[in-house]
Amino acid sequence: MSQKRDETAAAVLALLEMLAGEGPANRFEAPVEEARRRGVTGADLETVEQVKRMALSLHARLDRRQQWSAALTTLVDTACDLAAPHTVEETLTTITRRARLLLGADASWIALPASDGRAFRLHALDGHVSMLNTGLRLPWDAGLAAAVLAHRAPLWTSDYLADDSFRHAPEPDQWIKAEGLHAVLAVPLSRGTRPLGTLHVAERGVRRFSADEIALVNMLAEVGGVALERATHLAEAREELSVLRERASRAETELASARRLAAAQRTLLDMVLGGCDPHALAEEVRTTLGAPVLLCSAHGTVVAAAGGMAEDSRGALARAAMDARPLATSSPVLLEGGTWSVPVFTGSHYLGALYVDAGPSLTGDEAELLRHAARASAVLLFLQEGSTTVAEEQFRDELLDDLLNGGPRPREQLERRARRLGIGLDQPHVVVIARPEGGTQAQAVAWASSRARRDNGLKTTHEGNIVLLLPGTDPGATARTVHDDLASLLGHPVTVSGSGPVADPSGVRHGYREAARCLDAMTALGTVGTSASTQEMGFVGLLLSDHVDAERFIESTIGPVLHYDEQRLTELARTLDAYFDTGGSPTYAAEQLHVHPNTVARRLERISDLIGPDWQKPERALEVQLALRLSRIRRVLKGRGEPAADRPAGDQEA
């Protein structure tokens, strides 16, 4: 009996030694078997079995505590690792990798809301084997992630595809199947009460997650949520800092540029106010810009040049200064060949232009410097000759205003004022009215001033239109030239009318009235945006004229036919009358004239040779008939005014 007790005590002692030595659990059965072999039975054997069970229970508890301690150590290490500054992607990668290692799982990932807020996107996958995760969007209202965020609590499933406790969707199910995953644990990744996303840990086998495992992953998610929020704020701060640095750098650059521009402006202004030579000013601009410079007056004369600009270029630019470049704007304009032009104005008076051969593009600083140089050039030209130019400009405008208003000023006084400007009012001039149909009128007025100075004429604005008095005898050709040049400059339609020629001061007012009526007629006829003169408008021009010149209308319409009849004693005019009286029928006209139809046909061919082949068109035919009617009336009236003895025999018989 004593021996059995000793055997029982030995077995119990062996179990306690194994427990103290943290032996493996499968070796705890050996002392029980040894006691049974040595003859321990009954209550003693039951005591040994009970001690074994207690030892295994204690061993399991110790093992769980060791695992829990190791997990807590891993959590502390993870927290320390996440405490260092990381990017958002680095933080996400650290969280998923530590979660997979913490549970010894096969895969882990994080689901975060997409930028549009209507789906989830997978981030920082660890342990995945397929490529279906690339760009994968998970539905916002399906899958384990949606269920976790809805309940704000951890959820798990031992077999994802077979679990119907949450809503499934094709996209996540297809990816889970491709990865061969079954057991999935998902916990909310949040900061306080604000959810950021979900952390997932998965196994490729069917299993249950213990409470300790769920608690560990949940604690990791809480630590990760704090780190993720900090990483997000850090990324935003870095981005804002980068933007601020960029703005500060841009501000420093702009400040340095503004200082350079201010210094250049002070230098140019000091030079001008100090009475510098135009060539010195041009040389300073050339040195600052590093490009050839040319300064032209309003008349196209080269005032100063620096940098060796080609002579042929100088001539072309000088012509441009007189023609189409006096724009009422201070912005540089790119000409052909990479040359930039800036007009020089004082008020609304054009003094010239500054040209710089700086290539096809300008920086903002270069353009601003060009504007400063143009202002300095304006001061220089005004100080040297601008005051005289402005006074002459006003004197010219006032003279044309007086001619158009027709006031009680003596003719001799008007002619004397014109001679002072080098204009002879006794010479033929044409009156042109221009009406821009778009854009600003200041640009057109500046061009008109340049054109009037170039042609030694006058310019003013009257009744809202631009009026030009230019030397010449062909108002139609002058109106066309003004229209083409001005429309090309403005980029908008321009309606231009002309009248004349006039050769005395009083005729200017009459010419203006005719041109104004012509302009109104063009508007009424729907020909806005074109040019015409009273002469070119045929019988309409005859009606618009202050001085009805029927003789000129007859001469311009059927004059060659009348001269041919007079010189060769033919009857072409009479044939025309018969042709129109019979409705344009050569046969009936031949019957009325008592000649053969072939004779009428030959006469009509001769008429086409004399006045053009289009005389039978409706518009020309109307003018021809009107001219024939006026010619007959003039012959009758002249015949009545002559003594009977002086009349030709044919007229006496008539």
Side-chain angles (χ1 to χ4, degrees), residues 100-408:
R100 189 168 74 90
L101 295 176
L102 190 63
L103 265 62
D106 295 323
S108 60
W109 66 90
I110 290 176
L112 297 177
S115 57
D116 56 8
R118 292 183 291 183
F120 291 103
R121 280 200 179 277
L122 299 186
H123 293 268
L125 279 87
D126 193 63
H128 62 287
V129 296
S130 71
M131 297 301 294
L132 292 180
N133 57 284
T134 304
L136 181 64
R137 285 171 60 93
L138 305 179
W140 182 259
D141 56 350
L144 206 56
V148 168
L149 291 183
H151 293 83
R152 302 288 179 89
L155 293 177
W156 63 274
T157 175
S158 59
D159 194 351
Y160 185 96
L161 296 177
D163 194 342
D164 295 332
S165 63
F166 57 89
R167 183 182 175 189
H168 287 259
E171 296 87 351
D173 286 4
Q174 183 181 4
W175 178 70
I176 291 290
K177 184 176 181 181
E179 288 287 341
L181 300 175
H182 288 276
V184 179
L185 168 63
V187 297
L189 189 67
S190 58
R191 174 71 171 98
T193 59
R194 187 167 65 91
L196 302 177
T198 54
L199 172 62
H200 299 252
V201 180
E203 289 276 356
R204 290 189 170 88
V206 178
R207 60 164 285 187
R208 295 175 62 87
F209 292 97
S210 67
D212 290 344
E213 291 174 328
I214 296 174
L216 285 172
V217 176
N218 196 40
M219 284 190 290
L220 176 61
E222 290 179 358
V223 174
V226 175
L228 179 59
E229 186 178 44
R230 193 184 67 164
T232 303
H233 290 334
L234 183 60
E236 293 174 352
R238 286 173 176 170
E239 184 177 356
E240 292 177 359
L241 181 60
S242 176
V243 172
L244 290 175
R245 285 175 177 171
E246 183 180 354
R247 290 179 180 175
S249 176
R250 191 183 307 118
E252 290 177 357
T253 303
E254 292 175 354
L255 180 59
S257 174
R259 287 173 176 171
R260 287 194 299 270
L261 287 174
Q265 185 180 13
R266 285 195 301 270
T267 300
L268 294 175
L269 192 57
D270 290 343
M271 291 179 64
V272 171
L273 296 179
C276 74
D277 183 80
H279 294 281
L281 180 65
E283 182 62 31
E284 178 65 25
V285 177
R286 184 203 68 79
T287 302
T288 306
L289 288 176
V293 175
L294 185 69
L295 177 61
C296 293
S297 68
H299 301 285
T301 306
V302 176
V303 177
M309 190 174 288
E311 290 296 332
D312 54 349
S313 298
R314 293 188 184 187
L317 295 176
R319 287 191 296 273
M322 291 188 297
D323 291 335
R325 292 303 171 190
L327 304 178
T329 174
S330 60
S331 299
V333 178
L334 179 62
L335 307 180
E336 295 182 0
T339 300
W340 293 83
S341 168
V342 185
V344 177
F345 279 94
T346 173
S348 61
H349 298 285
Y350 176 67
L351 297 179
L354 184 68
Y355 300 94
V356 179
D357 190 9
S361 61
L362 282 178
T363 65
D365 290 350
E366 291 172 338
E368 187 63 25
L369 181 59
L370 269 180
R371 286 189 281 268
H372 289 326
R375 296 187 189 105
S377 301
V379 175
L380 181 64
L381 293 179
F382 183 80
L383 291 176
Q384 291 188 347
E385 58 179 333
S387 57
T388 304
T389 302
V390 171
E392 180 181 338
E393 185 81 15
Q394 294 175 347
F395 192 67
R396 286 174 173 269
D397 290 353
E398 291 173 359
L399 174 59
L400 186 53
D401 285 335
D402 290 341
L403 291 172
L404 296 180
N405 292 328

Side-chain angles (χ1 to χ4, degrees), residues 420-474:
R420 291 176 184 172
L421 298 173
I423 299 173
L425 293 180
D426 57 343
Q427 300 298 317
H429 287 75
V430 295
V431 179
V432 176
I433 301 178
R435 184 182 67 200
E437 305 297 344
T440 59
Q441 194 182 46
Q443 192 173 351
V445 171
W447 178 90
S449 297
S450 176
R451 178 61 183 268
R453 283 193 301 269
R454 188 189 69 177
D455 292 353
N456 196 28
L458 299 175
K459 176 274 310 177
T460 190
T461 56
H462 192 72
E463 297 179 347
N465 298 320
I466 299 172
V467 183
L468 290 166
L469 181 66
L470 302 175
T473 58
D474 189 344

